[in-house]
Amino acid sequence: MRLWRNFPKALCIGLTLVIVNILLGFYPKGILQNLILGQLHEKLPLPLSESDGSMIKKISRLEMDLQLLKESMKLAKMEQEKVDNPLKTAVEAKASKTKQHRPYKKLFPYSWLFKQWGEDLSEAQQKEAEDLFQKFGYNVYLSDRLPLNRSILDTRDSRCLQKTYSSQLPSLGVILIFMDEALSIILRALTSIINRTPARLLKEIILVDDCSSNGELQEDLDKQIKLHNQKHPGLLKIIRHTERRGLAQARHTGWEAATADVVTILDAHIEVNIGWAEPILARIQEDNTVIVSPVFDNIRFDTFKLLKYEVAVDGFNWELWCRYDSLPQAWIELHDATAPIRSPSIMGILAANRLFLGEIGSLDGGMLVYGGENVELSLRVWQCGGKIEVLPCSRVAHLERHHKPYAQDLSPAMKRNALRVAEIWMDEYKYMVYAAWNIPVKNSGINYGDISSRKALREKLKCKTFDWYLKNVYPLLKPIHNMVGYGRMKNSLDGTICLDRGPVPGHTPIMYSCHEFGSQNVYYLLTGEFYVGPLIAQTDADDFCLTDPGIGEQPTLEPCSKAAKNGLHIHWNFRQGGAVINRATKRCLEITKDTSGTYVLVLQICTTQVWEIQHTLRNWESHNGTILSEL
Ligand code: UDP
Ligand code: MN
């Protein structure tokens, strides 16, 4: 059950797994376990939580952790499929029993494509499938062989089926944006939209090609559009960017071309489910200031099986990566599984009244490549008089790619876009985004583009503050008001090693060669806490506090609020360039060489060792009164 509750998180976790995969190619595993599981942990707090990590304690290797996670998810999924479709599962089980042996050699034993698929493929077929997989990030070989009009499980709550809608709903325009997607994927998306949207409501489908490079998306796609238009005159339009402009601009291009009352902006790798459109149109008809998100299910990138996701709301962390949050109490208390759910954010896919979306500034064309544009829109919607809701009766199956064809590492784009969002919308809280990414607030060296027109838009619309948003819409995101320093923490004895949260799972901080990953993020608060590891700063999860356990010589890391409740020694005196002294035990955090000559952390009677933290914030003055802050 615990695991099941995490299924919806996979949309975001997908990103983490991609990063893990890339890194596996470059780093020794021990380091990776240390570096990345911290990140994964952050994205997937429940099954890997430090507090109840017994499941993974015995497993030391990163891949095994990930494999275990995948296996568990697969098992849970199979359980669910049994419930959803007992007959099919029984047939499948019989078929696999009769399969004697695998006739072909596995050419790509480590490829994610072949973990759960492709047993019966010849070597040539495996090669073809793997090439396509590497290029697109999903199983194009299989997609090309599946029917375009395949049926998928109706994942709606049964109560959705009883809902009736007015016969006078507004018209719908669907915008599909794409860049280097496989043709069969786009055609399946189109087919699902045409087959599962009442024709009287569907006014237009606008395809926006963000300068794809694969040939089949030129003439072959044009031909298919023509065929559709012969059956449904004037329904489809295609617009092609002549240069790559990123997904926010692609969405904006689609919006500009649309004429319908309501626009729905979708990724190209989706299949809309039965009855998806009516709840959207009815809700926006009722209130044209609502931006709506359907509920996503996951089309697996390898098997193309549908994985049902539980209903959740859309949120984000301080790096502005998306995450799923639990359902609001107020909605649960309604006891109506069909009711709209107020949501702090959207994931990217959205529906809106076309004119209202225009009034509030459509999409910010200054958001480049990928990431953060969903948070930008969300803050703008809420702060400028709109609202966001998830509609449980509208379901869209979304294919989560194993990797993106347009970027190996999404972080640089994400980071840059996050700063742009922070600068335009987050007022005095913007430092939280800088801190989460470990970037200095001044002279960050990152060009987030010209924001003057977006600031002017904010003025014109008389938008509310980010403080209002935090307090009224997203209290789960918890700013750290008294943070005075953040970044790498170095000891004067050796500037090449940094304080590090150490292996995960585990509670033992270490000194380790300095690197750029979140496991070496440190945050110092005026109240005396040191948070070590990727920033969490949310009310539903704890950061990890540097602790003097009082016994032994080793510091530990403990969940901060639990540690505070239990009276553990988590408060330290520290000034930039000074000693780190525990306020209760008076012991100093220092480093010493172990028998192998490696520096290790130690708690001891203070000698003369001093520490530096990488970035400083306002309110933190040195002994002689010089302000060290960057703000
Ligand atoms: N996309 C685009 N231009 C880009 C990058 C992406 O048009 O530079 C399209 C992509 O083909 C997809 C949509 O934008 O249809 C969303 O991208 P993706 O699916 O990678 O994002 P995610 O689902 O992870 O939010
Ligand atoms: Mn997508």
Side-chain angles (χ1 to χ4, degrees), residues 194-376:
I194 293 169
N195 289 350
R196 298 191 183 124
T197 315
R200 68 191 158 82
L201 300 175
L202 186 61
K203 185 173 181 195
E204 60 202 355
I205 302 176
I206 297 163
L207 294 126
V208 182
D209 178 355
D210 190 21
C211 198
S212 296
S213 56
N214 47 335
E216 61 174 8
L217 296 186
Q218 306 299 321
E219 275 157 39
D220 292 353
L221 178 58
D222 283 344
K223 254 188 237 156
Q224 295 295 331
I225 291 174
K226 240 192 198 159
L227 284 177
H228 275 300
N229 277 340
Q230 278 166 10
K231 262 203 229 149
H232 314 279
L235 185 64
L236 271 65
K237 232 185 254 155
I238 182 157
I239 302 166
R240 289 201 159 91
H241 284 172
T242 49
E243 58 186 20
R244 174 108 0 110
R245 290 162 70 185
L247 62 87
Q249 292 200 35
R251 286 181 176 141
H252 177 72
T253 299
W255 173 83
E256 271 181 330
T259 59
D261 302 325
V262 169
V263 290
T264 303
I265 306 180
L266 303 174
D267 290 3
H269 38 243
I270 52 94
E271 288 164 63
V272 298
N273 214 324
I274 303 167
W276 76 292
E278 291 88 337
I280 293 177
L281 295 172
R283 182 63 190 123
I284 293 173
Q285 183 176 50
E286 230 168 55
D287 183 343
N288 65 7
T289 68
V290 188
I291 307 292
V292 158
S293 171
V295 176
F296 305 113
D297 294 304
N298 181 17
I299 302 168
R300 283 209 47 112
F301 66 82
D302 49 356
T303 59
F304 274 59
K305 284 188 182 154
L306 192 76
L307 177 57
K308 181 184 169 178
Y309 275 177
E310 294 304 311
V311 178
V313 297
D314 306 334
F316 52 90
N317 65 12
W318 285 108
E319 286 181 325
L320 310 192
W321 289 112
C322 62
R323 48 171 270 155
Y324 283 104
D325 292 328
S326 44
L327 293 163
Q329 200 49 36
W331 183 82
I332 295 169
E333 281 164 15
L334 287 176
H335 298 290
D336 178 2
T338 71
I341 314 163
R342 189 179 131 106
S343 177
S345 181
I346 53 154
M347 286 280 164
I349 285 172
L350 68 112
N353 174 287
R354 180 174 59 83
L355 295 178
F356 179 71
L357 187 58
E359 276 163 34
I360 60 162
S362 176
L363 271 294
D364 177 359
M367 305 293 287
L368 302 182
V369 189
Y370 173 95
E373 83 295 332
N374 58 326
V375 178
E376 193 281 333

Side-chain angles (χ1 to χ4, degrees), residues 29-52:
K29 279 142 199 157
I31 301 179
L32 274 175
Q33 183 185 343
N34 174 11
L35 301 185
I36 304 159
L37 265 176
Q39 289 281 1
L40 181 62
H41 209 190
E42 186 199 1
K43 304 273 186 310
L44 183 72
L46 289 176
L48 295 177
S49 97
E50 292 256 9
S51 47
D52 70 342

Side-chain angles (χ1 to χ4, degrees), residues 267 269 349 398-401 404:
D267 290 3
H269 38 243
I349 285 172
H398 169 261
L399 195 157
E400 283 160 28
R401 283 187 273 203
K404 313 261 180 193

